[in-house]
Amino acid sequence: PAVVYLSRWKNHPRWSCAFLESIAFHDAGRDFDLLYVLKGFPPGEDDPALRAHPGDVRACVTEFRISDEGYDLNAYLRVAAQFEHRRMLFFNSYSRILARNWLASYVTAFDSAPNCGIVGATGSFETIPGTTFPNVNVRTNAFMIERELFLSVDPGPLVTKGDCNRFEAGPESLTRQIGRRGLEPLLVDRFGKPWCVSEWPVSRIFRSGRQEALLVADNRTHHYAVAGPAKRLRLARLA
């Protein structure tokens, strides 16, 4: 499988450092190709975090340069169109892996259900305009999907951040389009356990408990982790 990481020129290098350190520290449990997307980097400029990282990480890296136009999902779709891996696992700039055998956990979860269409590290029932609760959606970070399936869905225009939010959680979301094809969304936790939709509220993955079972952290999981009791309860209710 391809592991796709998005590094933005405008971001502080600590984010890409944290991601690279997390994959170096936590054995994936499977071989993979790391497709390292350099978004908005000037010609000739490299990511200093990647340049400084150990050779065993750099050895599996293919760099892919794109302009800084568009959003994460635009970049993911361009990578999917460019490369030919059967499955792809997409990480945004703020991702940080928290447990060993993380890639093996994704693959095992994917293979655990014959009609699985997508495996995410986090998911929610939160509504946005045009949807009703529970609005089942796998968050579009740290998710694994078949490349051809990803390219076959209709993402809409993806011109604004709102467009991206709608593709993640709107009436024509990625999860909903996959579901209409008879395919199931799953979440996977840090222990390798797959969770079906009805179990998400008690999974302790995203805005559940203290997120003890979270496999991949990002900026949104951090907001919940550092919130006080009242805000944490409000975020949990939204999810």
Side-chain angles (χ1 to χ4, degrees), residues 39 96 107 133 142 167 188 234:
K39 189 171 188 289
R96 182 168 51 88
V107 173
F133 191 89
F167 186 46
V188 64
R234 182 175 64 83

Side-chain angles (χ1 to χ4, degrees), residues 95-144:
S95 299
R96 182 168 51 88
I97 295 161
L98 302 178
R100 63 189 300 270
N101 290 326
W102 50 274
L103 182 55
S105 294
Y106 271 98
V107 173
T108 300
F110 216 114
D111 293 338
S112 68
N115 63 335
C116 180
I118 186 171
V119 175
T122 53
S124 174
F125 295 167
E126 186 170 356
T127 60
I128 70 169
T131 66
T132 57
F133 191 89
N135 177 34
V136 176
N137 62 90
V138 172
R139 293 182 61 243
T140 52
N141 177 41
F143 69 98
M144 175 178 276

Side-chain angles (χ1 to χ4, degrees), residues 2-6 33-35 37 76 79 88-92:
V3 172
V4 181
Y5 176 71
L6 183 67
D33 293 331
L34 178 58
L35 307 182
V37 183
Y76 297 164
V79 172
M88 290 185 156
L89 173 55
F90 295 96
F91 291 104
N92 74 16

Side-chain angles (χ1 to χ4, degrees), residues 134-156:
N135 177 34
V136 176
N137 62 90
V138 172
R139 293 182 61 243
T140 52
N141 177 41
F143 69 98
M144 175 178 276
I145 191 170
E146 301 274 355
R147 184 184 68 88
E148 290 187 359
L149 174 61
F150 189 41
L151 290 174
S152 72
V153 300
D154 180 8

Side-chain angles (χ1 to χ4, degrees), residues 5-236:
Y5 176 71
L6 183 67
S7 178
R8 293 188 67 223
W9 169 254
K10 292 181 179 180
N11 283 353
H12 194 284
R14 68 176 178 271
W15 299 115
S16 50
C17 282
F19 174 77
L20 290 169
E21 288 172 1
S22 74
I23 64 170
F25 184 77
H26 299 293
D27 183 75
R30 289 283 298 261
D31 292 334
F32 62 92
D33 293 331
L34 178 58
L35 307 182
Y36 203 87
V37 183
L38 298 167
K39 189 171 188 289
F41 279 72
E45 288 284 350
D46 294 324
D47 186 330
L50 183 61
R51 186 171 61 247
H53 223 71
D56 57 341
V57 172
R58 294 199 305 270
C60 65
V61 172
T62 298
E63 295 184 7
F64 182 63
R65 293 177 178 268
I66 61 174
S67 73
D68 202 32
E69 295 177 5
Y71 296 89
D72 294 1
L73 286 164
N74 303 86
Y76 297 164
L77 288 162
R78 285 193 61 183
V79 172
Q82 180 74 22
F83 296 89
E84 297 186 353
H85 298 77
R86 179 186 168 205
R87 288 176 180 167
M88 290 185 156
L89 173 55
F90 295 96
F91 291 104
N92 74 16
S93 303
Y94 306 105
S95 299
R96 182 168 51 88
I97 295 161
L98 302 178
R100 63 189 300 270
N101 290 326
W102 50 274
L103 182 55
S105 294
Y106 271 98
V107 173
T108 300
F110 216 114
D111 293 338
S112 68
N115 63 335
C116 180
I118 186 171
V119 175
T122 53
S124 174
F125 295 167
E126 186 170 356
T127 60
I128 70 169
T131 66
T132 57
F133 191 89
N135 177 34
V136 176
N137 62 90
V138 172
R139 293 182 61 243
T140 52
N141 177 41
F143 69 98
M144 175 178 276
I145 191 170
E146 301 274 355
R147 184 184 68 88
E148 290 187 359
L149 174 61
F150 189 41
L151 290 174
S152 72
V153 300
D154 180 8
L158 298 184
V159 173
T160 67
K161 185 64 174 176
D163 293 335
C164 294
N165 291 340
R166 283 186 287 274
F167 186 46
E168 177 177 88
E172 296 296 322
S173 69
L174 174 62
T175 304
R176 287 183 183 228
Q177 291 189 53
I178 290 171
R180 292 190 192 118
R181 303 184 189 198
L183 300 174
E184 178 184 4
L186 295 174
L187 298 185
V188 64
D189 70 17
R190 66 182 299 148
F191 311 108
K193 174 180 168 56
W195 295 80
C196 64
V197 169
S198 63
E199 301 172 314
W200 291 5
V202 296
S203 65
R204 296 184 177 269
I205 294 177
F206 182 68
R207 297 181 181 175
S208 174
R210 297 192 302 276
Q211 301 183 142
E212 299 96 326
L214 183 66
L215 177 60
V216 182
D218 61 23
N219 52 336
R220 297 301 179 194
T221 65
H222 176 74
H223 291 163
Y224 178 86
V226 301
K231 184 175 181 180
R232 189 176 287 189
L233 179 59
R234 182 175 64 83
L235 291 172

